[in-house]
Amino acid sequence: MIAFFQSLTLSTRLLVLISVFFFTALNLQVDFFTTLYEPIRANHVAIHSILEVASIFVALAIALHGWISFRETMSANWLMFSAMFVAVAVLDALHTVTFEGMPYFIIDSNSLVSAWFWIAARLTESIIFLVVVLFPLKSRVKLFVRNYVYLLALLYAASVAFFIFKYYADLPLLIGERGPTSLKNGFEYVTMIIHAAVLIKVMSSKFDMNFRDFSFASFYLILSSWLFTSYEAITEYRNMAGHVFKVLGYYYLLKHIYHRKIEKPYTDLHNLSARHKLLLNSVAEGIYGIDKEGKMTFINDSAIKMLGYRPEEIMGLDLHDLIHCTSDGHCLSKTACLAWQTSYDGKSRISKDQFFKHRDGHVFPVSMKTEPMLENGEQRGTVITFYDLSRELAFDELQREKKEIDLELQLAVKLQESLSMQQRKWKLFEDVGAVSVPYRALNGDFYSIVPQGDLLMMAIADISGKGVPAAIQKSMMVYALEDFNSRYEEPHDVLTSMNSFVHDYTSDYSFVTLTMANYNKSSRLFSYSTGGHEPIIWYKAGIDEFINLHTRNPALGIMADSIYTTHSVELEPNDLIILYTDGVTECKEDDASDGIDLLHRAVMKADLSLPGELLAKQVLERVNELRPSDIHDDQTILILKA
């Protein structure tokens, strides 16, 4: 009940308070209102007729709307409610025409007949409230039942009218010399009890709050019945006030009907339409509809965006003539139009070989689908769904080009592999090995190991950049180094010659880091020259210590006249020489890890008794296991065991 009062607006609460105040004043200030009403008492019959006509109008409106809206609800409860208000309207009309002072109608007007029609109408109305609210019928019935129920309501009203007109002289008196009799008041109390039960039921928090207007109807009908038990003459103001409260009660019944059967369905339909429009506009495909004449009836935002028109520019027009065209922009004949074909035979169609024209004149390919719009099995129009294929076709073209590039890359990879295999045809020392892993398909690192008797010539290089450009420069470097494979030269001589080559034949924006080294197996003399490359790591096995070897020479290709030097060290048995590219030791800028330290730790975790080839692979694996970040560059490592 608290929830019920909280649901009321401030204006409704004020109206209820004013009604209660006015009702109380009517009962307590009898002399005041009697004097106030006296000037218009002579028009009592006319005022009564006006108020009753208002009630009859509401009753007929309820009955008429119930007849019309039953097709949508098929509810037995509301069918009985609306049909019985036909009986209420008839009985109220008979009460009005037989009211004392009205012209002759079947019999002379008199208060006895009028009062019995009044009681019959009030009891009928109360029973309707009792059934609809307190004992509602849950079933749904077929449409044809409506005719019989309304006919039964009319027969009921006719039967009551016949009984009263025929036997009114024998019926008990309802209005005496001093106002309503106890019998009439008893009937009024019955109606008040029924309406009070309805009021309590609706006000309970467990009841449907949509019936709130029913509670106001019952509230005012209770006040009306109370006043009809208190007047002393039918021409008294309390009789007229009772009719006013009755009209207010009927007004809330009509308001309930309006909200439930007119406003709510309209609002639901509006909300449903808004949701459908939102759904229609949320899809990527363009969607529009045409009627049987080919005129556009609706269009979504995606279609508007793809076609370039504003909705008001094309609504109601034959859209085919504006947008549907051939690939060269000429208007497509309607006989070849999928939408017109579907409009003609009702069959769905789909095609990816259609073309639409934008408002600015450019033509774009579309995938088009047509579906018939059916209502009760009859075609009312056609829905066209289309999608701009321009991006899809462009993507297909990119995919084709990508496949061609991938094929070229595969050939380049095979070429690199063949170059590597050509190098590995040389008989390597057992105690030297190398491994190179590209970051992408093509490798920008390269190494060379060339034995000449007891002398082992080694090179390791890193081309700036990645991918195809680096791979091309790598191939150039490999062929340039071939000239030094057949003769012995000091490492710095090789770097000087290679620097000139790189400077002359490569881009100004690229450079190469290169380390050249010679190892004499007999004397264990290791000579080296580093051109901007990572320092060589020398692991001295005897004292378990790592030493960095470098000559601090510049990278190749930066300056044509760069000077390079060679340094030499004598290795001890079991010492290791480790040459590598920066991809092995490089970590992210935000990593605190030292890449050189990772390489040291990887060497210590490796099995140093392995041959050079296997040792190089294992060291690289250990480095990547210890690495805190992902790999972002080519990786090459070369290990020499003294």
Side-chain angles (χ1 to χ4, degrees):
M1 190 172 295
I2 295 175
F4 175 83
F5 284 109
Q6 290 176 340
S7 70
L8 301 180
T9 62
L10 179 60
S11 60
T12 303
R13 296 177 190 177
L14 289 175
L15 179 61
V16 171
L17 290 175
I18 292 172
S19 300
V20 171
F21 173 79
F22 187 63
F23 171 79
T24 304
L26 287 173
N27 285 282
L28 296 180
Q29 300 296 322
V30 178
D31 293 339
F32 171 77
F33 284 103
T34 299
T35 303
L36 190 65
Y37 185 68
E38 190 63 31
I40 59 174
R41 183 188 293 272
N43 299 312
H44 179 80
V45 174
I47 296 172
H48 174 270
S49 297
I50 293 172
L51 293 173
E52 280 300 314
V53 167
S55 299
I56 294 167
F57 170 79
V58 173
L60 288 175
I62 293 172
L64 179 61
H65 185 79
W67 175 275
I68 296 172
S69 64
F70 175 71
R71 185 185 298 271
E72 306 299 327
T73 63
M74 310 298 283
S75 167
N77 203 42
W78 287 104
L79 175 61
M80 192 193 72
F81 176 80
S82 57
M84 289 307 294
F85 261 90
V86 174
V88 172
V90 171
L91 295 175
D92 269 338
L94 293 174
H95 161 72
T96 303
V97 297
T98 58
F99 191 74
E100 188 172 346
M102 291 291 288
Y104 178 88
F105 179 79
I106 300 178
I107 63 172
D108 291 327
S109 61
N110 64 82
S111 59
L112 176 62
V113 174
S114 177
W116 274 106
F117 277 121
W118 170 266
I119 290 300
R122 300 290 69 74
L123 289 176
T124 302
E125 157 213 297
S126 302
I127 292 171
I128 295 172
F129 273 69
L130 184 70
V131 173
V132 170
V133 178
L134 299 181
F135 307 103
L137 303 174
K138 302 294 186 180
S139 60
R140 294 169 63 86
V141 294
K142 297 185 179 298
L143 183 61
F144 73 89
V145 177
R146 176 184 62 180
N147 302 335
Y148 296 107
V149 173
Y150 271 76
L151 180 60
L152 286 174
L154 286 172
L155 290 175
Y156 162 76
S159 300
V160 172
F162 175 80
F163 180 82
I164 292 175
F165 279 127
K166 185 171 181 62
Y167 299 105
Y168 73 92
D170 300 324
L171 294 176
L173 192 66
L174 294 179
I175 299 178
E177 294 181 357
R178 299 187 60 82
T181 65
S182 299
L183 178 60
K184 180 179 182 299
N185 286 344
F187 285 133
E188 296 287 1
Y189 292 142
V190 169
T191 63
M192 283 191 282
I193 291 171
I194 292 175
H195 283 298
V198 171
L199 182 61
I200 294 171
K201 179 70 174 180
V202 174
M203 290 172 62
S204 66
S205 59
K206 296 181 180 180
F207 198 70
D208 186 358
M209 296 303 290
N210 290 321
F211 279 80
R212 183 173 56 188
D213 288 329
F214 253 88
S215 67
F216 291 116
S218 291
F219 169 71
Y220 283 110
L221 290 174
I222 290 171
L223 299 185
S224 171
S225 294
W226 184 278
L227 288 170
F228 285 124
T229 64
S230 62
Y231 66 83
E232 296 180 356
I234 60 173
T235 59
E236 189 186 319
Y237 75 90
R238 280 178 286 192
N239 185 294
M240 290 301 100
H243 282 83
V244 171
F245 281 117
K246 175 193 169 188
V247 171
L248 282 173
Y250 276 29
Y251 160 75
Y252 275 101
L253 277 183
L254 187 61
K255 184 180 178 183
H256 172 81
I257 295 295
Y258 171 78
H259 283 313
R260 289 295 299 271
K261 305 300 180 182
I262 298 178
E263 184 182 55
K264 185 177 183 299
Y266 177 81
T267 303
D268 291 344
L269 181 62
H270 176 76
N271 294 336
L272 182 62
S273 176
R275 287 196 294 271
H276 285 175
K277 185 176 180 181
L278 180 63
L279 179 63
L280 198 63
N281 289 332
S282 66
V283 297
E285 291 83 359
I287 303 174
Y288 68 91
I290 59 174
D291 59 19
K292 297 178 70 174
E293 286 73 37
K295 295 180 179 180
M296 196 189 75
T297 55
F298 67 87
I299 188 167
N300 73 340
D301 288 348
S302 296
I304 289 296
K305 184 177 180 181
M306 282 186 272
L307 297 174
Y309 290 94
R310 295 191 302 273
E312 59 270 19
E313 291 181 312
I314 53 178
M315 195 64 68
L317 298 181
D318 186 343
L319 205 56
H320 170 84
D321 295 334
L322 287 176
I323 67 169
H324 209 173
C325 62
T326 59
S327 59
D328 56 3
H330 292 95
C331 185
L332 187 71
S333 65
K334 288 187 175 180
T335 56
C337 175
L338 271 63
W340 277 90
Q341 292 173 13
T342 298
S343 297
Y344 178 75
D345 59 19
K347 296 180 180 179
S348 301
R349 287 175 171 82
I350 187 170
S351 172
K352 286 190 175 183
D353 299 322
Q354 304 296 310
F355 295 89
F356 280 180
K357 183 184 295 185
H358 191 272
R359 189 174 188 270
D360 63 12
H362 82 266
V363 176
F364 58 96
V366 296
S367 171
M368 181 179 178
K369 182 179 181 182
T370 60
E371 291 282 353
M373 282 192 295
L374 301 178
E375 182 179 348
N376 297 325
E378 182 179 353
Q379 185 171 350
R380 297 294 185 182
T382 304
V383 177
I384 297 91
T385 304
F386 68 94
Y387 185 76
D388 187 352
L389 293 177
S390 299
R391 291 185 178 180
E392 184 177 320
L393 294 177
F395 179 76
D396 290 343
E397 179 65 18
L398 288 175
Q399 289 290 91
R400 185 187 63 78
E401 293 178 0
K402 180 179 180 299
K403 288 180 179 179
E404 293 178 357
I405 294 173
D406 287 344
L407 179 59
E408 293 176 0
L409 286 175
Q410 290 175 10
L411 294 174
V413 169
K414 289 181 179 179
L415 177 60
Q416 280 197 339
E417 290 175 352
S418 66
L419 290 174
S420 298
M421 292 302 295
Q422 188 68 24
Q423 291 175 340
R424 295 176 66 86
K425 288 180 180 179
W426 297 91
K427 182 180 178 181
L428 302 182
F429 288 0
E430 179 183 353
D431 291 331
V432 66
V435 59
S436 185
V437 180
Y439 173 60
R440 294 174 180 161
L442 295 174
N443 197 339
D445 293 351
F446 80 91
Y447 67 91
S448 176
I449 304 172
V450 180
Q452 290 187 358
D454 285 343
L455 184 67
L456 189 65
M457 302 171 64
M458 296 175 291
I460 188 168
D462 187 357
I463 312 298
S464 62
K466 302 178 182 67
V468 175
I472 294 173
Q473 286 186 273
K474 171 184 174 178
S475 300
M476 294 170 61
M477 294 289 294
V478 169
Y479 283 110
L481 277 174
E482 286 294 317
D483 185 48
F484 304 101
N485 289 341
S486 59
R487 67 180 190 273
Y488 173 80
E489 289 192 22
E490 289 294 333
H492 66 274
D493 294 328
V494 177
L495 287 182
T496 300
S497 299
M498 292 298 296
N499 177 62
S500 298
F501 175 82
V502 173
H503 184 273
D504 294 340
Y505 295 102
T506 60
S507 168
D508 293 338
Y509 301 101
S510 65
F511 60 90
V512 177
T513 66
L514 175 64
T515 291
M516 291 297 303
N518 295 333
Y519 175 61
N520 191 309
K521 188 173 182 182
S522 300
S523 63
R524 290 200 178 89
L525 183 65
F526 180 75
S527 302
Y528 60 91
S529 182
T530 58
H533 201 77
E534 305 299 310
I536 301 169
I537 295 178
W538 176 17
Y539 173 64
K540 302 188 71 172
I543 59 175
D544 196 20
E545 181 180 345
F546 290 94
I547 298 176
N548 291 338
L549 304 177
H550 54 80
T551 57
R552 302 188 184 279
N553 297 325
L556 279 61
I558 298 176
M559 295 182 295
D561 55 353
S562 295
I563 297 175
Y564 297 89
T565 59
T566 297
H567 294 175
S568 300
V569 295
E570 187 174 339
L571 306 182
E572 299 292 335
N574 299 321
D575 284 356
L576 298 180
I577 291 294
I578 305 169
L579 284 69
Y580 56 93
T581 58
D582 60 0
V584 176
T585 56
E586 189 177 57
C587 297
K588 288 184 179 179
E589 293 182 359
D590 55 352
D591 271 325
S593 304
D594 184 350
I596 298 293
D597 179 64
L598 291 181
L599 185 52
H600 292 172
R601 290 160 55 194
V603 171
M604 299 309 297
K605 286 179 172 290
D607 182 1
L608 302 184
S609 64
L610 292 173
E613 187 78 13
L614 297 179
L615 180 58
K617 292 180 180 179
Q618 191 178 89
V619 169
L620 184 58
E621 290 173 358
R622 296 292 184 269
V623 169
N624 291 333
E625 290 171 0
L626 296 170
R627 178 186 300 277
S629 58
D630 295 334
I631 301 169
H632 295 285
D633 201 356
D634 304 323
Q635 293 182 306
T636 302
I637 189 168
L638 187 154
I639 295 181
L640 169 69
K641 297 178 67 175

